[in-house]
Amino acid sequence: SYELTQPPSVSVSPGQTASIPCSGDSLGDKYASWYQQKPGQSPVLVIYQDNKRPSGIPERFSGSNSGNTATLTISGTQAMDEADYYCQAWDSSTVVFGGGTKLTVL
Amino acid sequence: QVQLQESGPGLVKPSQTLSLTCTVSGGSISSDIHYWSWIRQPAGKGLEWIGRIHSSGSTSNSPSLKSRVTISVDTSKNQFSLKLSSVTAADTAVYYCAREEYHILTGLILHDYWGQGTLVTVSS
C-alpha cells in the first residue's frame, strides 16, 4: 500500500520560515494536500492541488511538490501556526495521509 | 456555509457494530462533484481515511478496513452513515465526517469541510 512519510516534529522561531516535508514514491506525479490541526479541533485544509490556498488561508502558507517530496512552507511563522500538519494524497482510489508533523514555534 | 455533524453512541462493546450518522446542512448532499467521507483518529495518533460515498450510492473504502465497513447515504435526510462491524479496542478513536472533492481523472482529492468529530470508545 502507498505510504506518505513526514518527520514527527519540526521547530521554528517566530518570524522565520518553516518547511515540512512529505515523502512518497513518485509523489510529484500526484496531487498533495495539507491540513492543519490544532489540539482538540478538526483538521483544516490549508493547501490543495500542491500549491493552492483555500479562501481564508493566509498567504504565508504555500506548497510545492516534485519528485518524491511535497513541502509545506510557512513564511513568517506565527505562534498561532503551532499545530500538527498532515499531508494527503490519492492512490488507487483511496486517500492516504502522512503520519503528521508537530510544528513547534519556539 | 456547509456544516457537518456526527452523531451516534459514544460507547460500543467489543465484537459489536459501531454506527454513526453525519448530518449535512447548508448544502445538498446530492452535489455531483462531492463525495462524503469518514475519517478517524485514535488519541495521539494520525488521521486514517475509512471510506467515501457519493449521493449516487457509489462507495470506496480503505483496503485495511474494507470487509468491516459499510457506508450508506440518505439523500432525503441529507445524511450519510457509517457502520463498522466486529469492533475491537483498536477501533477506539475520534470519528470525523467530511466533504470530499474527488476528481478521479486527475487524482485530486481534498477535504474542505469537516465535522467536529465524535469520540467512540470500544470497551465492555
Side-chain angles (χ1 to χ4, degrees):
Chain A
S1 62
Y2 193 77
E3 293 185 357
L4 294 173
T5 301
Q6 299 180 237
S9 63
V10 168
S11 297
V12 64
S13 299
Q16 299 303 302
T17 296
S19 294
I20 300 175
C22 171
S23 63
D25 188 36
S26 299
L27 180 56
D29 294 337
K30 308 176 187 294
Y31 283 127
S33 297
W34 290 90
Y35 299 84
Q36 175 193 70
Q37 187 180 33
K38 296 182 179 180
Q41 298 183 16
S42 303
V44 173
L45 178 69
V46 294
I47 292 289
Y48 68 97
Q49 202 171 336
D50 294 340
N51 54 23
K52 292 181 168 50
R53 281 179 293 104
S55 174
I57 300 302
E59 291 184 8
R60 64 179 180 273
F61 287 87
S62 63
S64 63
N65 187 13
S66 179
N68 294 322
T69 304
T71 303
L72 173 69
T73 302
I74 309 173
S75 305
T77 306
Q78 300 182 9
M80 68 172 65
D81 301 327
E82 187 163 286
D84 294 328
Y85 290 86
Y86 295 90
C87 58
Q88 175 204 73
W90 167 89
D91 183 73
S92 302
S93 297
T94 64
V95 175
V96 181
F97 286 100
T101 298
K102 180 176 180 57
L103 176 67
T104 301
V105 182
L106 297 171
Chain B
Q1 179 83 346
V2 174
Q3 293 184 313
L4 297 92
Q5 178 68 57
E6 306 89 351
S7 59
L11 180 64
V12 181
K13 289 181 167 50
S15 80
Q16 294 191 342
T17 296
L18 177 160
S19 297
L20 295 173
T21 296
C22 181
T23 301
V24 179
S25 59
S28 174
I29 203 169
S30 297
S31 165
D32 280 346
I33 67 169
H34 293 114
Y35 289 73
W36 305 90
S37 286
W38 289 98
I39 295 162
R40 70 179 183 179
Q41 184 174 37
K45 297 189 178 180
L47 301 168
E48 179 184 19
W49 182 77
I50 298 170
R52 72 165 68 87
I53 190 164
H54 187 264
S55 58
S56 63
S58 172
T59 61
S60 181
N61 299 331
S62 167
S64 63
L65 298 170
K66 189 170 187 176
S67 62
R68 297 197 291 133
V69 171
T70 302
I71 299 176
S72 59
V73 65
D74 186 337
T75 55
S76 67
K77 295 182 179 179
N78 234 33
Q79 294 177 333
F80 63 107
S81 299
L82 168 69
K83 291 188 185 300
L84 180 65
S85 63
S86 305
V87 298
T88 69
D91 295 309
T92 294
V94 173
Y95 284 75
Y96 295 99
C97 57
R99 189 176 81 169
E100 180 176 296
E101 191 171 319
Y102 170 46
H103 300 263
I104 190 170
L105 294 180
T106 64
L108 170 63
I109 280 186
L110 60 96
H111 295 90
D112 54 358
Y113 290 97
W114 295 65
Q116 66 184 26
T118 187
L119 174 62
V120 178
T121 301
V122 178
S123 175
S124 55

